[in-house]
Amino acid sequence: MLRRGKQPRFGGSRLAMLEEAMAAPSSHYRTQAELRQQIEAWKETDRSNFDADRYYDSWRAAGYTEHNRGSQETLARRALQLCSIHTGEPPVDHAKECLLAVDLGCGSGLSTAVACRVRADTLGTIGVDLSWEMLKSPEWEEVSSSLSPLSGERLRCDLSQPLPFRRGVFDLCYSVSAVHYLAQGSATRTAEQRISALTKSLRDVLCAGSRPCALQAYLTRDSNALQLFRDVAEKDGWALCDLAGSGLFELHWSTACVEVR
Ligand SMILES: C[S@@+](CC[C@H](N)C(=O)[O-])C[C@H]1O[C@@H](n2cnc3c(N)ncnc32)[C@H](O)[C@@H]1O
């Protein structure tokens, strides 16, 4: 199988066929380098036309849930800890304050299920995602059967548009493996506009004194993506702390920013 980011290597006979095809008068590409350049251009077009709803059809949504449970649960637990949520055994004397969280790009519910499990009595979580198939996944049945307030509540929305919630309703926000999709422009909007729609509206929907937001994303594949997120977030009044290459970052309201590692 070809791993992401690795160039394909052709065996002898396939290489010969490729060379022969490129030598044909009708071929648009004369060298492997030209062909690779075109492939990269196609990939770029694909990225800017990316539509999570179209991409995650029922087959992909089921495969995703089956193969990524362990990793996504670990990432979700870590993100919640960074939101100052205790994910171990509840302290004996912990106050029964109930908090409301939003899970951005909740997908099939793997990351939401963790929040429902760790603080079932005191943490309600609403998931948002663009993909119908992810939101219809059977995994949500387990989430819905949790004792957590609002368990299984989820709605379809595009993170690159203002969040459809009233002002000041959430105590915390976390996201696992989703917001990197905003760091690519679409056919009609730049990456800056898409990220800013989220960072602006996140401020509106969080209450005063909310916990830090923890967003885990894959921003290292594109060398500009993290800086772009940082710039846009700062313009919209956030301080972004990057956890040095881990793909996790926190957003703080305050302008003071502490590098965690
Ligand atoms: C890799 S999955 C992560 C799902 C879940 N957080 C987890 O940890 O299993 C990424 C999710 O982001 C969602 N997504 C991508 N772009 C989005 C957008 N613009 N608005 C809302 N959701 C989006 C996809 O539909 C997908 O469910």
Side-chain angles (χ1 to χ4, degrees):
M1 190 204 280
L2 185 64
R3 290 180 68 87
R4 202 190 290 265
K6 291 261 190 308
Q7 295 286 6
R9 286 189 191 285
F10 297 114
S13 63
R14 292 178 74 197
L15 191 59
M17 280 162 66
L18 181 66
E19 298 281 343
E20 193 185 326
M22 286 192 300
S26 57
S27 171
H28 294 294
Y29 314 104
R30 294 283 156 217
T31 62
Q32 279 194 48
E34 275 179 28
L35 183 57
R36 283 196 205 288
Q37 205 176 5
Q38 181 57 63
I39 291 171
E40 286 309 314
W42 281 325
K43 280 191 192 159
E44 189 47 47
T45 312
D46 247 23
R47 278 194 285 266
S48 62
N49 290 332
F50 180 80
D51 175 343
D53 195 30
R54 216 174 16 175
Y55 178 77
Y56 285 106
D57 54 19
S58 56
W59 179 77
R60 276 208 177 99
Y64 174 83
T65 311
E66 190 187 335
H67 294 115
N68 295 287
R69 183 179 301 276
S71 59
Q72 297 316 107
E73 288 179 349
T74 305
L75 290 169
R77 193 172 287 272
R78 179 81 181 116
L80 285 164
Q81 288 164 352
L82 291 166
C83 294
S84 303
I85 295 295
H86 181 80
T87 57
E89 288 297 310
V92 182
D93 60 346
H94 82 284
K96 287 268 177 189
E97 178 199 19
C98 201
L99 301 172
L100 185 59
V102 58
D103 177 2
L104 303 176
C106 59
S108 58
L110 293 176
S111 48
T112 316
V114 173
C116 292
R117 250 178 256 137
V118 293
R119 306 299 288 174
D121 51 347
T122 55
L123 179 61
T125 305
I126 297 178
V128 298
D129 202 279
L130 188 56
S131 157
W132 280 119
E133 291 300 335
M134 286 295 231
L135 293 169
K136 284 195 306 192
S137 161
E139 182 69 17
W140 283 104
E141 282 166 30
E142 188 210 316
V143 183
S144 303
S145 64
S146 148
L147 296 176
S148 164
L150 298 172
S151 56
E153 289 293 332
R154 55 202 189 274
L155 58 102
R156 181 173 180 264
C157 75
D158 184 349
L159 296 176
S160 73
Q161 299 290 341
L163 294 165
F165 298 106
R166 277 188 287 133
R167 294 179 77 86
V169 289
F170 290 106
D171 299 288
L172 61 129
C173 157
Y174 71 102
S175 178
V176 182
S177 313
V179 298
H180 46 266
Y181 289 111
L182 303 185
Q184 58 214 26
S186 68
T188 51
R189 292 161 77 224
T190 62
E192 286 90 329
Q193 288 169 327
R194 286 159 53 80
I195 297 170
S196 183
L198 177 68
T199 45
K200 279 203 179 97
S201 115
L202 207 48
R203 284 196 62 153
D204 289 340
V205 301
L206 286 168
C207 63
S210 62
R211 310 278 171 117
C213 300
L215 312 179
Q216 180 274 329
Y218 295 105
L219 291 173
T220 45
R221 279 183 205 144
D222 173 353
S223 54
N224 299 324
L226 180 59
Q227 192 56 43
L228 183 64
F229 245 95
R230 189 187 293 283
D231 292 346
V232 176
E234 278 175 14
K235 221 186 282 169
D236 292 335
W238 296 93
L240 187 150
C241 301
D242 165 33
L243 275 73
S246 64
L248 259 165
F249 57 90
E250 292 179 58
L251 288 173
H252 292 261
W253 289 77
S254 78
T255 47
C257 172
V258 182
E259 289 291 341
V260 181
R261 20 179 233 209

